[in-house]
Amino acid sequence: MKSNIKYFLLGALALSFAACEKDFFNTDSPSAMDEAVFKSADQTQQAIGAIYNTFGEDKSFRNRLCGGYVALNTDIEHCSKTESDEYAAYNITAGIGNLSTADGKDPWAYLNSAIERANVVIDGIRAHSDTTDASFKYLLGEVLTLRAFCYLEMVKLWGDVPASFESYNGTNPEVLYTKKQDRNVIYEQLRIDLKEAARLMPWSEDINAVPSAKNYTGRPSKALAYGLLARMDLMYAGLAMRPDVFTEGGTSACSVQYNVKDPSKRQELYQEAAWACAQVIKQEDFKFKPSFDSVFIDLCQDVTNYAQSEWIWALPFMDGTRGQVLALTGNKMSDKCQGHLINTTFYASGDKNNTKTQAMVWIVPTFYYQFEKNDKRRDVTILPWSWEYDNGSGTAPSGYAEQTFPGTSASESKVYQKQSNAGQMYLGKYRIEWMNHKYSGNEDGIDLPVLRYTDILLMYAEAVIGSKEGNGPGEVEGISAQECFDRVRARAGLASKTLDFEAIVDERAFEFCGEYIRKYDLMRWGLLKEKLVAAQQAAYDLQNNTGPYAGRPDSVWFHYTQNNTYAQSGAAYVFDKFVGIDVDAERPAEFSKEDGWVAKAFYTKDDAPVIVPAKWYLYKEGTDIDMHQYWPIFSVNIAASNGTLWNDYLYGN
């Protein structure tokens, strides 16, 4: 870690903090090196604002630490950027996707910058602030939580990383250039930090009494500190690809193994995770939303009042000026729709087909079939259609009859949902039509989801299972793990199911698809390779109409209804009936184009197969899937490290 980034902090404090809360940190900032800063709660907030500022930078959480650049591929999601196999080989070398440049503007640099800025503030508060004051207690808890979050992101992406928990004072070269260390050192420090943060910060019901805090999903809370502690404990207690022996300078001897070899220590971690989740369940159960779709509608509509949202923390971006969560991961939209579909003005970023939307997260088509019948989450999560616009050319859109849009002529301009195919199934949790605000270019301003209450319920259930398997006490304070698990299923419209590890593996897929969680779950369970290989084979079976998918229909049938609320002007048509994807779907006896029914091939396009797993690179044939679970540390970062960084996992330096 190059700690001279610290001095960049001095000027950065006066920035607009575009990644912060919409009206947060709007005063001029003094030097962070002046101890007087940390005697003022307002000025200390401004120093913390410099941490948030790094989140909104180009190549940071704004557009690289989200979307298809992280958390892919898995058994349920894959990256649409199929022109490069590096995404599937987990071998994202310098320059791929502009992830690493010579000027230090890359994910590694920004995360390290955020950590160094946090170190400055933490040391400043401890040395100069009145930590008996409620405001300073909250601010210290906030920055401890932010630092822990950044470290967890680094471990998820790179494995072992430098462990730097003090600011550079100008004299200690070991702090200036911190060596890469065994990740367990970081885990142990974060256990201390997050428990301290939880003690320092109030529950949401009391947070408005603290002048420096706000009941807001964009800032850390006691529940977030407990939630990140539980998430980290489950990572720590689980499996990971790691060096067999941590070796300075690197080693090729790496394997999937437990982070902790001592079973009693793993049991301790499971118990701690269950305890942390139990604190949140006891205090903030009101956050469990009654309907699944409302969780994401709230996110897209900027519902940031903590009491009204299921989100415990969503990293905040400013409306239309920062953040590309929806642009990178939301449903696909043709460039023809710009200025016509509600809530959009222009979608600037184009994919390789010049469709003016990245839609980097695509759904592995077999996942559609894995949902239980009547699971309400499926049609929120998976969309087999994209937004299109016909400009009134006088002809029906390609492949469509005029009668597709009842009550209008083919010459009338219209926005409509265009049925896609099995090879292009999109994530539906982030939708432009759910937004309240318009956006500019590819900056949509949707907050980046990090942790929601349902994850607390399912982490609790998982931690209880882990604790019991280690002969631990399991459930905490009378909270039933089975009931927590069943509540998640009941909201999805499903009956109770016996709680065991396999049930957790499945349920977390159905609940959290597209939320940057699945890959890291599979890694800590030691299932990434197994699940990817199985998903690839299942995709072949689906395309070939064999195995469990034998008898699937070749076409789907759909019907439109007019709903002009989706268009800024003119007509809009959306699906009101969509049948045929399910293998056992009940089909109407007759389909009439005159009645607005349309039938289209779903598994072929121009007589060619649309599911071609080898081109997706769900995983790259001939590579060790487990060995390349992490990004490499980029060469530009290694070159600037004064010999303190190196790569493992056969990447080389």
Side-chain angles (χ1 to χ4, degrees):
M1 180 182 295
K2 280 192 82 172
S3 292
N4 61 2
I5 292 172
K6 172 181 178 179
Y7 295 102
F8 177 65
L9 171 62
L10 307 186
L13 291 177
L15 295 175
S16 62
F17 306 116
C20 297
E21 178 190 352
K22 281 58 176 175
D23 58 352
F24 195 31
F25 306 138
N26 57 2
T27 58
D28 294 332
S29 301
S31 167
M33 303 303 292
D34 185 348
E35 69 180 61
V37 168
F38 301 106
K39 295 184 181 297
S40 163
D42 288 343
Q43 293 180 17
T44 301
Q45 283 193 84
Q46 294 173 40
I48 294 173
I51 303 169
Y52 286 93
N53 186 67
T54 64
F55 298 159
E57 294 283 1
D58 186 35
K59 310 300 187 298
S60 183
F61 287 98
R62 172 184 174 186
N63 54 11
R64 291 298 181 270
L65 292 170
C66 69
Y69 295 99
V70 297
L72 300 176
N73 293 324
T74 76
D75 57 333
I76 63 176
E77 311 132 327
H78 70 101
C79 183
S80 67
K81 297 178 78 67
T82 56
E83 72 273 20
S84 174
D85 62 15
E86 281 88 348
Y87 291 96
Y90 300 97
N91 186 13
I92 301 179
T93 52
I96 297 297
N98 296 318
L99 287 168
S100 179
T101 58
D103 58 5
K105 294 181 179 180
D106 60 81
W108 174 276
Y110 282 123
L111 282 166
N112 276 284
S113 175
I115 289 169
E116 176 59 22
R117 293 176 183 195
N119 288 340
V120 171
V121 177
I122 290 168
D123 290 348
I125 292 175
R126 292 196 192 281
H128 306 299
S129 301
D130 178 7
T131 53
T132 65
D133 178 81
S135 286
F136 283 113
K137 288 171 68 174
Y138 172 79
L139 294 173
L140 179 56
E142 177 179 28
V143 73
L144 285 168
T145 305
L146 291 175
R147 184 174 70 178
F149 166 70
C150 291
Y151 261 123
L152 288 178
E153 293 300 295
M154 291 195 73
V155 171
K156 282 162 51 179
L157 291 169
W158 289 285
D160 299 316
V161 297
S164 179
F165 292 97
E166 60 178 291
S167 58
Y168 178 56
N169 61 12
T171 61
N172 188 347
E174 292 184 1
V175 175
L176 178 60
Y177 292 102
T178 307
K179 286 184 178 181
K180 176 176 168 177
Q181 294 190 39
D182 187 312
R183 72 200 71 177
N184 289 10
V185 174
I186 295 172
Y187 284 144
E188 285 298 327
Q189 183 62 48
L190 297 191
R191 291 179 73 192
I192 296 170
D193 289 349
L194 287 168
K195 282 183 279 191
E196 180 182 6
R199 290 193 298 270
L200 290 167
M201 293 187 288
W203 290 109
S204 62
E205 65 180 10
D206 300 318
I207 206 164
N208 285 333
V210 180
S212 296
K214 185 179 179 182
N215 206 354
Y216 168 58
T217 59
R219 294 186 70 183
S221 62
K222 184 187 287 286
L224 177 62
Y226 280 133
L228 290 182
L229 175 62
R231 182 173 283 181
M232 186 208 68
D233 281 341
L234 293 177
M235 290 170 62
Y236 192 6
L239 294 152
M241 168 58 68
R242 54 186 299 147
D244 295 341
V245 177
F246 185 85
T247 305
E248 288 193 13
T251 176
S252 60
C254 302
S255 60
V256 175
Q257 56 190 278
Y258 280 111
N259 291 306
V260 176
K261 305 298 187 293
D262 182 2
S264 63
K265 177 63 176 288
R266 294 201 297 272
Q267 179 185 316
E268 174 190 326
L269 292 168
Y270 282 123
Q271 289 175 207
E272 183 173 84
W275 169 82
C277 291
Q279 308 315 302
V280 182
I281 293 169
K282 289 190 303 179
Q283 190 69 30
E284 295 193 351
D285 192 56
F286 62 85
K287 289 187 69 64
F288 188 64
K289 298 283 286 188
S291 63
F292 183 74
D293 61 347
S294 66
V295 175
F296 305 98
I297 293 172
D298 286 349
L299 188 73
C300 292
Q301 294 189 347
D302 304 311
V303 177
T304 58
N305 183 295
Y306 192 84
Q308 296 173 355
S309 172
E310 183 168 301
W311 295 99
I312 289 174
W313 194 46
L315 205 157
F317 293 111
M318 184 173 282
D319 295 353
T321 59
R322 281 293 187 272
Q324 298 172 20
V325 173
L326 188 147
L328 290 171
T329 63
N331 190 26
K332 201 163 196 173
M333 181 186 71
S334 165
D335 61 345
K336 298 175 185 177
C337 288
Q338 61 197 39
H340 302 290
L341 183 63
I342 192 70
N343 296 329
T344 184
T345 54
F346 182 62
Y347 234 80
S349 291
D351 68 3
K352 63 190 179 77
N353 296 316
N354 294 317
T355 53
K356 297 299 180 186
T357 172
Q358 293 283 354
M360 290 180 72
V361 179
W362 286 7
I363 304 300
V364 177
T366 50
F367 186 50
Y368 189 95
Y369 295 90
Q370 294 170 16
F371 284 82
E372 294 178 52
K373 191 172 184 179
N374 300 322
D375 191 328
K376 298 175 183 178
R377 296 172 294 194
R378 188 192 68 180
D379 294 342
V380 175
T381 303
I382 305 176
L383 298 181
W385 53 266
S386 60
W387 281 110
E388 184 58 87
Y389 179 76
D390 176 54
N391 63 0
S393 61
T395 59
S398 176
Y400 290 71
E402 288 189 26
Q403 293 84 358
T404 296
F405 307 106
T408 186
S409 67
S411 62
E412 183 176 342
S413 297
K414 58 189 75 68
V415 176
Y416 65 97
Q417 295 174 347
K418 183 177 181 180
Q419 178 259 328
S420 55
N421 58 54
Q424 295 178 315
M425 301 179 78
Y426 307 113
L427 180 66
K429 290 184 173 179
Y430 318 112
R431 307 189 193 187
I432 191 169
E433 60 267 30
W434 286 345
M435 292 173 61
N436 276 338
H437 63 267
K438 295 183 179 182
Y439 58 87
S440 174
N442 57 355
E443 305 289 349
D444 53 75
I446 300 298
D447 292 348
L448 177 68
V450 177
L451 178 68
R452 58 185 173 96
Y453 184 74
T454 304
D455 203 359
I456 297 292
L457 295 175
L458 291 182
M459 284 195 296
Y460 177 77
E462 181 182 348
V464 167
I465 293 172
S467 175
K468 287 181 176 178
E469 288 179 349
N471 297 316
E475 293 176 346
V476 176
E477 300 183 40
I479 298 174
S480 167
Q482 180 71 58
E483 290 180 4
C484 289
F485 181 71
D486 285 345
R487 288 181 68 197
V488 177
R489 288 180 55 80
R491 182 172 71 177
L494 304 175
S496 176
K497 181 179 180 181
T498 300
L499 174 61
D500 55 24
F501 174 71
E502 288 72 22
I504 286 288
V505 171
D506 292 342
E507 205 65 35
R508 288 185 66 84
F510 301 131
E511 185 70 23
F512 299 121
C513 177
E515 296 180 47
Y516 318 111
I517 290 177
R518 183 64 171 178
K519 178 187 173 184
Y520 307 110
D521 279 349
L522 294 176
M523 287 168 62
R524 65 186 175 83
W525 294 329
L527 293 176
L528 182 62
K529 180 176 182 178
E530 175 185 328
K531 290 289 188 179
L532 281 172
V533 171
Q536 185 103 313
Q537 181 57 54
Y540 278 119
D541 287 339
L542 180 61
Q543 177 62 58
N544 296 331
N545 205 351
T546 58
Y549 305 103
R552 57 131 176 92
D554 293 324
S555 299
V556 297
W557 297 264
F558 50 94
H559 189 278
Y560 283 101
T561 187
Q562 186 170 359
N563 187 336
N564 294 345
T565 61
Y566 288 98
Q568 291 189 26
S569 63
Y573 289 86
V574 297
F575 296 122
D576 63 343
K577 298 172 186 175
F578 200 108
V579 296
I581 298 180
D582 294 311
V583 172
D584 61 348
E586 181 179 349
R587 302 159 175 72
E590 295 182 3
F591 294 97
S592 169
K593 289 185 178 180
E594 287 70 24
D595 292 333
W597 281 99
V598 182
K600 290 201 71 176
F602 197 62
Y603 297 94
T604 58
K605 183 177 182 180
D606 300 326
D607 297 324
V610 297
I611 300 177
V612 188
K615 290 186 178 180
W616 293 349
Y617 298 109
L618 214 66
Y619 65 91
K620 186 179 179 181
E621 299 284 356
T623 61
D624 188 331
I625 300 171
D626 281 332
M627 186 65 76
H628 284 174
Q629 294 185 4
Y630 302 109
W631 283 356
I633 300 174
F634 305 123
S635 56
V636 63
N637 307 122
I638 292 175
S641 72
N642 200 30
T644 59
L645 298 178
W646 60 87
N647 271 315
D648 296 299
Y649 321 118
L650 302 178
Y651 280 124
N653 297 319

